[in-house]
Amino acid sequence: MNCMNTSSDFAFAHRLANVTRRRAREENALRVGVYDSRALVEADFLKEDGAMVKYLGQTDEGIPALNARGIQVALRVLQGALLTFFNDNNWESGHREDVLEAKSLASGIMGSWLLFWGMEANKAESREANKAYAKISRLALKRLEHLSFLTELEYFIPQHIGMQMEPIGKDVTEPQKHLRQDVDAGIVLPKGIGGGLSYRFYLLYLAHCIDAHFQDVVEKTVVPCGGEIRKAAVKSHSRMQVKYFRDYKQAAKPRDAMNCDICRNCVTFKTVENVRMGYNALVAALGKPLSVNNNFSDNFDAPKESYGYRCIKCIFKFELQNHNWGGLIDAVDDQVFTTLQAQANTNLYEVSRRIAETQFRDKTPCILVEIQMLLLPYLDLRRKSHMPYKIVRPGTWQGLRTEFENGG
């Protein structure tokens, strides 16, 4: 069986053991419903420190790697952690520590999927990996469907939310073609770099330069309207890589220009009136959006299309007047790009920086951004459905690790 020959194997195994041992010591046995007590109690590695090595093999380099028995235990731990996270009683009764610990544990296991089966897995290993993924995917899908119908029946339908929210953004004519960063924001393919990965790093470089300004403008705009902003991190290289090959495979080059949500955030409101006020304020501050996708419409089949999640998704052209790209580049901490460069294992960020400084320095900063506006019950739905959605979305066991490799 292929395993990752890195020190992360050893750290993961001990993290797994420490979490379960600690809870076992606290309660003498794992509470029913938390990490599937029956499955774990029978695993005798709970009884003493260091016993996890019983389930560790030894590679040629002397680095521990999970063997078949360890994999079986880990998968049971994963299923138990997911059941804890999916349990509504844990959310409603204030067992937040249990919920967050379960999420952390499950994310760690799925992010370490290569620990179980290497990317060069043989046919037999791939079959076993597919079986394991199918099992947890069915569990996650069941959870998504439950949350979806619950939100529709208890909130959306009785409160007549569709009728109240549908007029918002109706004045915006939807573009006939998919919006693009090069065509609609002017972040064109510069001279000196290719249309593949080079453009992606160049685009991410500029996004990191402008993101703090974008977040600040939105926050100052929506807070007086009763909005609470949740700032999202700039889209990751790994996520753009997935979309590059899956969603934008047939797009014109540079394909990464199709990402209109590299800089994004989510604004939550308590009432429909607050949403209206917030939308109007954003239009006044940023200009008319280029695209509005109002999923609160009664015509939108949320359970089928988005597992019940509804929001108003707007794409704005964010232009920072009285600034230039040169000033933003000079103000950004170099450590940001050192980290990005290390994560991508390439020096293309440095190449992108030099090109941006020479070709874009005097130009007005501009980028397409995404703002999602939603009502409070959908923030709760989003929190509860985030994990199962990330499990279902990739569709393969190989893709699962990509979804969780940066911490879930």
Side-chain angles (χ1 to χ4, degrees):
M1 178 172 292
N2 293 313
C3 293
M4 291 178 66
N5 295 333
T6 70
S7 59
S8 64
D9 294 359
F10 186 78
F12 164 74
H14 275 273
R15 176 168 176 256
L16 182 64
N18 287 337
V19 170
T20 50
R21 277 201 303 270
R22 177 170 64 80
R23 188 168 291 279
R25 284 198 299 267
E26 289 173 354
E27 303 180 11
N28 198 28
L30 299 182
R31 177 157 45 86
V32 175
V34 178
Y35 302 157
D36 190 3
S37 61
R38 287 170 297 179
L40 287 177
V41 168
E42 70 178 19
D44 57 5
F45 74 81
L46 292 175
K47 295 178 182 178
E48 56 181 293
D49 288 346
M52 187 69 178
V53 297
K54 289 180 60 177
Y55 306 113
L56 294 175
Q58 203 77 5
T59 67
D60 293 338
E61 292 81 10
I63 300 171
L66 284 176
N67 63 19
R69 171 59 177 160
I71 291 169
Q72 292 171 7
V73 173
L75 288 174
R76 287 207 298 271
V77 175
L78 171 58
Q79 185 172 345
L82 290 176
L83 289 171
T84 298
F85 184 79
F86 295 169
N87 190 330
D88 283 325
N89 290 332
N90 289 332
W91 290 83
E92 294 164 4
S93 59
H95 293 164
R96 187 164 180 80
E97 182 181 348
D98 286 344
V99 170
L100 293 178
E101 189 172 284
K103 179 181 181 182
S104 176
L105 181 58
S107 297
I109 295 173
M110 289 185 286
S112 302
W113 201 259
L114 286 184
L115 199 68
F116 309 153
W117 292 281
M119 289 300 285
E120 301 301 324
N122 59 40
K123 290 182 179 181
E125 291 168 351
S126 291
R127 282 196 298 270
E128 291 303 310
N130 284 327
K131 288 179 184 178
Y133 174 71
K135 186 174 182 179
I136 63 170
S137 184
R138 286 194 297 270
L139 181 66
L141 182 59
K142 185 177 179 180
R143 175 61 173 168
L144 286 172
E145 291 172 344
H146 167 74
L147 291 171
S148 172
F149 286 107
L150 201 65
T151 307
E152 291 286 297
L153 294 175
E154 293 186 355
Y155 180 70
F156 183 79
I157 295 173
Q159 297 290 333
H160 304 289
I161 299 300
M163 182 178 64
Q164 298 181 68
M165 295 282 279
E166 190 161 7
I168 299 175
K170 260 200 164 180
D171 59 321
V172 176
T173 303
E174 287 302 298
Q176 294 182 350
K177 295 183 179 180
H178 194 291
L179 296 170
R180 295 178 58 100
Q181 296 286 2
D182 52 352
V183 175
D184 300 289
I187 304 180
V188 298
L189 187 66
K191 297 177 181 178
I193 66 174
L197 284 177
S198 302
Y199 181 80
R200 179 184 307 163
F201 296 125
Y202 169 75
L203 186 57
L204 282 171
Y205 177 89
L206 296 180
H208 278 275
C209 290
I210 200 172
D211 185 64
H213 297 273
F214 159 62
Q215 304 291 353
D216 185 56
V217 170
V218 174
E219 184 170 26
K220 289 178 179 177
T221 302
V222 300
V223 168
C225 304
E228 181 179 346
I229 186 173
R230 293 173 61 85
K231 302 174 183 178
V234 172
K235 202 166 194 174
S236 69
H237 160 73
S238 60
R239 183 68 190 137
M240 290 181 71
Q241 178 83 343
V242 171
K243 295 182 78 67
Y244 183 90
F245 288 106
R246 187 182 68 189
D247 298 344
Y248 305 142
K249 193 172 183 179
Q250 305 301 323
K253 295 181 180 180
R255 283 190 250 169
D256 286 305
M258 299 284 282
N259 289 278
C260 300
D261 60 345
I262 302 174
C263 296
R264 63 269 173 89
N265 55 42
C266 170
V267 184
T268 306
F269 299 91
K270 292 182 178 179
T271 69
V272 173
E273 183 56 33
N274 287 139
V275 178
R276 290 196 194 100
M277 292 170 58
Y279 174 80
N280 291 334
L282 286 169
V283 171
L286 305 177
K288 192 173 182 179
L290 302 184
S291 172
V292 175
N293 189 3
N294 188 345
N295 291 341
F296 283 103
S297 168
D298 282 319
N299 296 324
F300 181 73
D301 188 352
K304 181 179 178 180
E305 300 294 335
S306 62
Y307 301 110
Y309 180 68
R310 294 179 183 269
C311 70
I312 299 177
K313 188 182 297 183
C314 302
I315 303 295
F316 286 92
K317 182 178 179 179
F318 180 69
E319 195 167 5
L320 202 57
Q321 298 294 340
N322 303 319
H323 289 75
N324 57 41
W325 279 116
L328 301 191
I329 291 169
D330 294 340
V332 173
D333 187 349
D334 285 347
Q335 184 58 42
V336 172
F337 301 104
T338 301
T339 302
L340 288 170
Q341 193 162 286
Q343 289 175 351
N345 193 27
T346 177
N347 65 351
L348 287 175
Y349 277 112
E350 187 58 38
V351 174
S352 300
R353 184 195 299 232
R354 291 199 300 269
I355 291 173
E357 287 177 340
T358 56
Q359 297 188 27
F360 265 59
R361 189 169 189 86
D362 297 327
K363 295 186 178 181
T364 301
C366 181
I367 192 170
L368 299 186
V369 298
E370 180 186 281
I371 301 175
Q372 292 189 21
M373 291 176 281
L374 61 152
L375 290 160
L376 203 53
Y378 290 94
L379 176 61
D380 184 54
L381 173 65
R382 185 169 178 166
R383 286 170 175 161
K384 293 179 179 179
S385 62
H386 177 68
M387 170 76 77
Y389 177 66
K390 283 173 73 71
I391 293 171
V392 171
R393 177 167 61 181
T396 65
W397 64 269
Q398 295 96 331
L400 186 70
R401 196 256 182 176
T402 302
E403 289 286 340
F404 288 90
E405 64 183 353
N406 294 319

